[in-house]
């Protein structure tokens, strides 16, 4: 919640949280304005005052989720291996500190909104902006590792994309399959790739 | 279509194809029995005769899609590298021969049904069966590669899962982001991992 009393920012934050709860409870296919209002201590009219249409509300909601997500994945430090591992951990398992949302509940909610993106250009635009933000973070770490001689001379964009598709795929399998080890096994696999392939010294390979 | 005239198998096949067209046209959130009937030369009553509920129809439809998918990914040959590359290509870009469904349209439809899986145990069961079928194919190739000394001594389950989460994540990014190079860049990244890490000789590494 904001610190400005009961102003529009607080109301919008309350609507966003109500939307999140309604999405988790009812799923995307049953996410009506009424279902959102039911999670909210104000009326449907208040929601319509802030958001003209359900689509406008959902666009704002996706932006809200992605902003919250991006705020929690910043990594600091000098060691590119450590920074990369911390980022992988945070993306796969959620930030170490407690946040507003449960990581796997959030993954499920995001999967449902993502499945709408093929039909909605504004959703695709927002997912793309989010992807470019996160991929730039990975590229910066990989470039730093190459410059300092820690990583072999790879294509940073290619490695960053491979990491992000793996993590994205793993999170989606984790919430849609009957097995609960996908994120753990994926982390172990990515660790092996980093230490046995990406790292110049540990891999004991000749330079390409 | 089956070869048995106008019998129940043909009708069910026709209902499955109508469901697919309705899903592609309207999206999962708007996939009603009426929308499916509108894609079909028979009435809604015929659909209800074969499937009691919309959920029963969708469970049958997911099974139909996954069966079609599994039929198209068999790979033959002796060379584990070639078999692995063929499987990756087929999973990322669709089978080389023409099939009933457009690959990216199918990917979009499957993403929408997958997003329902967290709320539906029967969907999770089917996705899991499909995952176990495909992962077993990859594990068999990797094990073969290790036994014949082509691949280094990796954990086959871990490598197979890493491959499949990457491919799954890449297909989903391909249809939900504004960029169209995700599948291509992912293939190039996986090629690098296979030739520079997984292959024993090419990587020029000492055995672990």
């Amino acid at each position: 919640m904001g610190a400005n009393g009961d102003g529009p920012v607080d109301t919008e934050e309350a609507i966003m949280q109500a939307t999140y709860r309604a999405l988790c409870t009812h799923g995307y296919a049953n996410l009506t304005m009424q279902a959102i209002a039911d999670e909210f201590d104000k009326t449907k009219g208040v929601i319509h005052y802030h958001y003209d249409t359900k689509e406008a509300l959902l666009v704002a909601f996706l932006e809200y989720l992605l902003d919250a997500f991006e705020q929690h994945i910043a990594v600091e430090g000098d060691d590119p291996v450590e920074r990369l591992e911390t980022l992988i951990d945070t993306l796969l398992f959620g930030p170490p500190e407690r946040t507003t949302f449960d990581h796997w509940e959030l993954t499920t909610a995001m999967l449902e909104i993502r499945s709408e993106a093929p039909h909605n250009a504004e959703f695709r635009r927002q997912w793309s902006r989010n992807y470019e933000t996160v991929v730039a973070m990975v590229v910066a770490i990989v470039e730093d590792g190459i410059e300092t001689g820690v990583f072999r001379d790879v294509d940073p964009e290619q490695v960053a994309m491979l990491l992000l598709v793996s993590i994205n795929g793993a999170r989606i399998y984790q919430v849609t399959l009957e097995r609960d080890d996908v994120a753990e096994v994926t982390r172990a696999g990515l660790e092996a790739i980093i230490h046995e392939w990406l790292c110049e010294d540990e891999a004991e390979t000749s330079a390409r």
Side-chain angles (χ1 to χ4, degrees), chain A residues 149-153 197-207:
Chain A
V150 178
F151 294 159
R152 63 196 291 171
D153 186 24
W197 175 69
L198 185 59
C199 285
E200 184 75 74
D201 291 340
E202 297 177 63
E204 299 172 308
T205 59
S206 56

Side-chain angles (χ1 to χ4, degrees), chain A residues 172-183:
Chain A
I172 291 172
Y173 273 167
Q174 180 78 30
V175 296
T176 60
L177 297 182
E178 282 172 326
R179 53 194 299 169
D180 57 9
D181 64 345
V182 180

Side-chain angles (χ1 to χ4, degrees), chain A residues 15 24 30 34 37 46 56 61 81 83-84 95 101 106 109 114 118 122 134 165 176 178 184 197 202:
Chain A
I15 294 172
C24 292
N30 302 309
Q34 188 57 57
V46 175
F61 178 63
V81 176
R83 275 157 67 207
L84 203 53
F101 308 119
L106 180 63
R114 188 180 279 279
E122 179 56 29
V134 181
V165 296
T176 60
E178 282 172 326
E184 280 294 351
W197 175 69
E202 297 177 63

Side-chain angles (χ1 to χ4, degrees), chain A residues 1-3 5-23 33 35-43 46-47 50-51 57 61 64 100-101:
Chain A
M1 297 283 170
D6 218 351
V9 172
D10 271 328
T11 306
E12 284 173 16
E13 171 74 27
I15 294 172
M16 294 295 100
Q17 295 201 9
T19 305
Y20 180 75
R21 288 192 300 273
L23 181 60
M33 291 294 241
I36 295 166
D38 290 345
E39 296 286 342
F40 188 51
D41 63 354
K42 299 199 175 67
T43 66
V46 175
I47 301 178
H50 288 270
Y51 304 100
L57 168 62
F61 178 63
Y64 168 82
T100 316
F101 308 119

Side-chain angles (χ1 to χ4, degrees), chain A residues 32-166:
Chain A
T32 59
M33 291 294 241
Q34 188 57 57
I36 295 166
D38 290 345
E39 296 286 342
F40 188 51
D41 63 354
K42 299 199 175 67
T43 66
K44 221 166 81 169
V46 175
I47 301 178
H48 279 293
Y49 175 80
H50 288 270
Y51 304 100
D52 279 347
T53 62
K54 182 177 151 186
E55 191 182 330
L57 168 62
L58 290 173
V59 165
F61 178 63
L62 177 57
E63 196 165 10
Y64 168 82
L65 282 188
L66 294 179
D67 283 349
F69 172 79
E70 287 169 21
Q71 276 167 28
H72 285 107
I73 58 170
V75 282
E76 290 168 8
D78 287 329
D79 179 8
V81 176
E82 209 175 286
R83 275 157 67 207
L84 203 53
E85 289 174 343
T86 302
L87 186 57
I88 290 169
D89 267 15
T90 305
L91 292 172
L92 270 177
F93 297 97
E97 70 273 23
R98 220 139 162 66
T99 59
T100 316
F101 308 119
D102 171 79
H103 179 67
W104 296 115
E105 202 178 68
L106 180 63
T107 300
T108 300
M110 283 179 143
L111 170 61
E112 292 189 77
I113 301 179
R114 188 180 279 279
S115 76
E116 281 297 300
H119 307 291
N120 185 316
E122 179 56 29
F123 280 15
R124 280 200 302 285
R125 200 189 62 74
Q126 288 203 36
W127 282 115
S128 298
R129 182 187 57 75
N130 172 256
Y131 174 80
E132 301 302 338
T133 303
V134 181
V135 87
M137 292 175 65
V138 184
V139 166
I141 297 172
V142 175
E143 282 176 347
D144 189 38
I146 296 169
E147 272 165 37
T148 54
V150 178
F151 294 159
R152 63 196 291 171
D153 186 24
V154 293
D155 176 344
E157 297 275 352
Q158 191 187 79
V159 170
M161 188 179 273
L162 198 57
L163 268 179
L164 293 185
V165 296
S166 309

